[in-house]
Amino acid sequence: MTASHGPGGDVLRDLDVFGRKLETGASLLARLKDLEVGTTPKTAVASTDKATLYRYRRESPPTVPVPVLIVYALVNRPYMIDLEPKRSTVRRLLDAGLDVYLIDWGYPDADDRSLTLDDYLNRYLDGFVEEIRSAHGIEAPSLLGICQGGTLSLCYAAMNPKKVKNLVTMVTPVDFHTSDNLLSKWIRDVDIDLLVDTLGNVPGEFLNWIFVSLKPARQIGGKLFDILDLLDDEERLGTYFRMEKWINDSPVQAGEAFREFGKAFFQENRLVRGTLRIAERGLDLGDVTMPVLNVYATMDHIVPPAAARALAGPVGTKDYSELAFDGGHIGIYVSARAQTVVAPRIADWLRQRDT
Amino acid sequence: MSSDEPAHPAAVGEASRKPGTTRESDDSEAAGEALAAWCAVLDEWWREQSGGLPAEIKRPMEAAIGQFTALLALAGAGPAAATPPAEVSSEMSDTGADRILGPWQPVLDALRRCQATIDPDPEALVRNQEYAAAAGAYLGEFARLNLEISRRLREKLAATDSGTGFTGLERLILEQAEEAYLEHVSRDEFARRQAEFINALLRLSSAREPS
């Protein structure tokens, strides 16, 4: 390499363009007030402790009468699936004719340190399923579990197969020990008992550090030119700041629930091994006998495809389908392409089983 | 120093210089100069542009530029990109970590926020040998990664069209950085050292006397 590989004419042109974008971005930003997220209208219909059950408002009657309950992960906030009107899995599900509910787990605090997976599954989730059954006069709603929420939904469905009509899992880890699961490899030697015994609840900052560390390179030069590229596009600028809000909005994790999940799932891989116990009760994926649609992202660096597709083996249902989305763990919800592919396919699948 | 620690940068430089041949050192120097020029252009441009920008744009731009120029500097620094872990273990809380983790600013920022919530005794961070060893080993992993990225970037840049603009340079840097990063952090050794660092930090926090 020689000195001639230093900045040349293209650089000056690039910088000129960047400078104009900065000016435009500054003035656009002034118009971007109160970047709201999760704006699809919804009504709180029940709550227990800090968990709230919401029902999204529809403008017309649903065309798929059996309602679907979205069970999001505990580790992030659920408004990722309703980031903004044009990037909203929730809106696309509503557009496709579904009656949609969501559990918002809230922000745990010191009072929640002793909450266990038994609480999350058999008090909160089960309580809200009962609420929906009663409100609609039905045997069972469908569940749509997202990431860790999908893992929890599988556990719930295995324990309560008669209370789940259909089950959709999205980017859901089932086998936590596949060779390409970096997150799982990193957690394997962490002393989770020490973590919870020392800190009580697990700070969101700890999880944020781990998640950021999974793929930081894209946040380096990629971020610089991502920012520069979108500075003169008001819509994209808004999306950028909403994503930043979500990335930095990591709730505290209830200590005992984190201990259970971290050890039993990440470290001991008990779910796929068939040795998981929750509240002293054994749990078998073979008891998941309702129709299952397993949606995974082919470029998911958090839940690799193999970790999700491992469900095919142990699940008990005779009606098991997969849907592969060409994208990443977050893109499956917020990308423009996902809006036209994922939610409509889920709705169609549910409609075909709404008997 | 264990056998898998990087050799001292000066020793690497000396060992690689063949008697009677200065081309490698000339290339290294030229690479450093060229990349320093990129950094200087970007820094000057940012100084001119940043005054009066709203904080919401200024903050992420400054962080992103800092990271980008740290990676550029990495490419230009050659073997000097790596600092032996023994030199950084006691500096985890300041310039040592900044130097090694500069190109990985999101990780460093997130780590600092995490450390603040874990709240270990600041004096113990310096005194505790177990923590010092674990922190040094963790940073040593990034030092080795930086060395590898430096090598890959210099090779790629040598083969790059001299008229490449910033976006071309960015693409090239990201490709090399992402690939090298993923290979490196997927190693069992990295996972073990990162976990040991976390566990050592927690033990310090656990031992802290309540105030």
Side-chain angles (χ1 to χ4, degrees):
Chain A
M1 184 178 185
T2 67
S4 68
H5 284 77
D10 284 355
V11 169
L12 299 177
R13 276 195 296 279
D14 280 348
L15 291 180
D16 190 43
V17 169
F18 297 157
R20 286 201 295 277
K21 282 176 178 275
L22 275 176
E23 275 180 44
T24 309
S27 61
L28 280 179
L29 192 63
R31 297 213 296 265
L32 286 173
K33 298 183 197 314
D34 298 325
L35 281 165
E36 290 183 307
V37 291
T39 58
T40 301
K42 60 185 185 287
T43 304
V45 297
S47 68
T48 306
D49 298 335
K50 293 184 182 67
T52 304
L53 177 68
Y54 288 98
R55 185 181 187 184
Y56 285 94
R57 287 183 230 143
R58 292 192 51 83
E59 291 173 1
S60 58
T63 58
V64 183
V66 175
V68 60
L69 170 60
I70 298 176
V71 182
Y72 201 80
L74 303 175
V75 298
N76 291 112
R77 297 293 297 144
Y79 54 79
M80 167 52 62
I81 60 171
D82 189 26
L83 192 69
E84 55 192 38
K86 286 186 183 174
R87 295 174 191 274
S88 170
T89 297
V90 169
R91 285 192 190 234
R92 303 294 89 76
L93 291 172
L94 291 168
D95 292 342
L98 295 178
D99 195 349
V100 182
Y101 286 80
L102 170 85
I103 299 177
D104 184 335
W105 302 111
Y107 289 91
D109 60 26
D111 291 341
D112 304 304
R113 189 218 185 291
S114 302
L115 285 180
T116 62
L117 292 181
D118 181 33
D119 290 304
Y120 278 101
L121 291 171
N122 297 319
R123 272 205 305 132
Y124 300 151
L125 176 49
D126 187 59
F128 293 149
V129 166
E130 286 297 326
E131 181 73 31
I132 295 170
R133 274 161 37 109
S134 172
H136 289 260
I138 55 173
E139 286 289 320
S142 293
L143 294 191
L144 194 166
I146 295 176
C147 190
Q148 181 194 31
T151 314
L152 295 176
S153 299
L154 278 166
C155 294
Y156 181 80
M159 291 190 287
N160 304 277
K162 288 187 166 43
K163 288 193 185 181
V164 180
K165 173 83 172 165
N166 304 293
L167 176 61
V168 181
T169 51
M170 291 186 77
V171 291
T172 291
V174 175
D175 184 347
F176 288 73
H177 285 191
T178 54
S179 59
D180 52 358
N181 193 329
L182 190 55
L183 185 57
S184 185
K185 178 181 275 195
W186 281 1
I187 290 177
R188 214 160 293 167
D189 289 330
V190 174
D191 188 340
I192 292 180
D193 285 326
L194 177 64
L195 178 66
V196 176
D197 291 342
T198 301
L199 302 180
N201 289 334
V202 178
E205 288 83 355
F206 173 78
L207 295 180
N208 195 255
W209 171 40
I210 297 294
F211 284 128
V212 163
S213 297
L214 284 173
K215 208 174 187 181
R218 185 52 61 177
Q219 298 191 51
I220 303 177
K223 191 159 243 180
L224 170 61
F225 294 101
D226 283 344
I227 299 171
L228 286 168
D229 194 38
L230 51 79
L231 278 174
D232 57 356
D233 183 324
E234 187 171 353
E235 189 176 311
R236 291 176 65 206
L237 196 62
T239 303
Y240 167 78
F241 281 114
R242 289 188 189 91
M243 287 286 301
E244 285 292 296
K245 177 183 167 75
W246 181 81
I247 285 167
N248 292 304
D249 190 2
S250 300
V252 152
Q253 298 300 291
E256 290 310 314
F258 184 92
R259 189 198 308 266
E260 272 187 270
F261 199 90
K263 292 178 73 172
F265 291 81
F266 273 97
Q267 290 184 338
E268 296 160 20
N269 208 16
R270 287 180 173 271
L271 178 65
V272 79
R273 287 182 179 160
T275 58
L276 182 66
R277 298 181 75 80
I278 291 182
E280 302 304 315
R281 178 179 160 184
L283 197 148
D284 183 355
L285 286 174
D287 293 329
V288 176
T289 50
M290 74 292 305
V292 172
L293 173 64
N294 192 9
V295 186
Y296 65 93
T298 59
M299 292 182 273
D300 195 333
H301 70 290
I302 297 176
V303 180
R309 300 182 73 192
L311 179 60
V315 75
T317 182
K318 291 180 173 34
D319 181 358
Y320 173 82
S321 315
E322 288 182 353
L323 172 61
F325 173 76
D326 258 346
H329 193 76
I330 304 301
I332 196 170
Y333 301 106
V334 302
S335 73
R337 193 162 40 85
Q339 307 306 304
T340 59
V341 169
V342 179
R345 293 275 297 270
I346 291 173
D348 282 344
W349 183 86
L350 287 169
R351 183 176 291 107
Q352 288 164 15
R353 287 154 182 81
D354 185 33
T355 52
Chain B
M1 194 179 290
S2 66
S3 59
D4 64 344
E5 307 284 17
H8 193 279
V12 169
E14 288 298 323
S16 64
R17 185 172 304 151
K18 294 184 172 56
T21 304
T22 59
R23 182 179 170 179
E24 193 171 274
S25 56
D26 282 350
D27 279 354
S28 296
E29 198 174 327
E33 284 174 5
L35 290 161
W38 284 93
C39 290
V41 165
L42 193 55
D43 280 344
E44 188 182 331
W45 170 80
W46 179 241
R47 266 199 304 276
E48 286 169 9
Q49 300 289 333
S50 56
L53 280 178
E56 292 90 335
I57 292 181
K58 196 169 177 179
R59 257 194 320 266
M61 280 293 300
E62 273 178 347
I65 288 175
Q67 295 155 30
F68 187 69
T69 50
L71 268 176
L72 280 179
L74 200 64
T83 302
E87 292 184 11
V88 304
S89 60
S90 64
E91 297 172 333
M92 183 63 182
S93 58
D94 49 64
T95 55
D98 283 333
R99 186 167 59 244
I100 299 296
L101 288 174
W104 313 101
Q105 199 67 33
V107 175
L108 182 59
D109 289 346
L111 172 58
R112 291 247 163 88
R113 286 194 295 273
C114 176
Q115 279 184 301
T117 61
I118 291 176
D119 190 30
D121 180 351
E123 287 186 16
L125 279 175
V126 177
R127 276 200 319 265
N128 186 281
Q129 285 186 342
E130 182 208 11
Y131 173 77
Y138 174 68
L139 283 181
E141 289 292 325
F142 281 92
R144 273 187 284 282
L145 169 63
N146 289 349
L147 194 60
E148 176 60 19
I149 289 175
S150 174
R151 184 189 67 76
R152 294 189 191 197
L153 281 176
R154 288 155 75 78
E155 273 179 18
K156 278 288 181 180
L157 285 166
T160 299
D161 184 344
S162 60
T164 296
F166 268 116
T167 46
L169 186 64
E170 172 248 353
R171 251 194 312 274
L172 186 153
I173 286 177
L174 275 190
E175 269 170 24
Q176 298 310 309
E178 280 187 345
E179 197 177 283
Y181 183 85
L182 191 56
E183 283 172 21
H184 193 84
V185 302
S186 297
R187 293 161 49 248
D188 289 346
E189 188 69 6
F190 178 88
R192 186 175 63 77
R193 287 184 165 170
Q194 182 170 260
E196 283 171 358
F197 170 57
I198 293 169
N199 293 338
L201 197 58
L202 289 167
R203 278 191 278 274
L204 273 187
S205 182
S206 178
R208 187 185 176 115
E209 292 290 332
S211 54

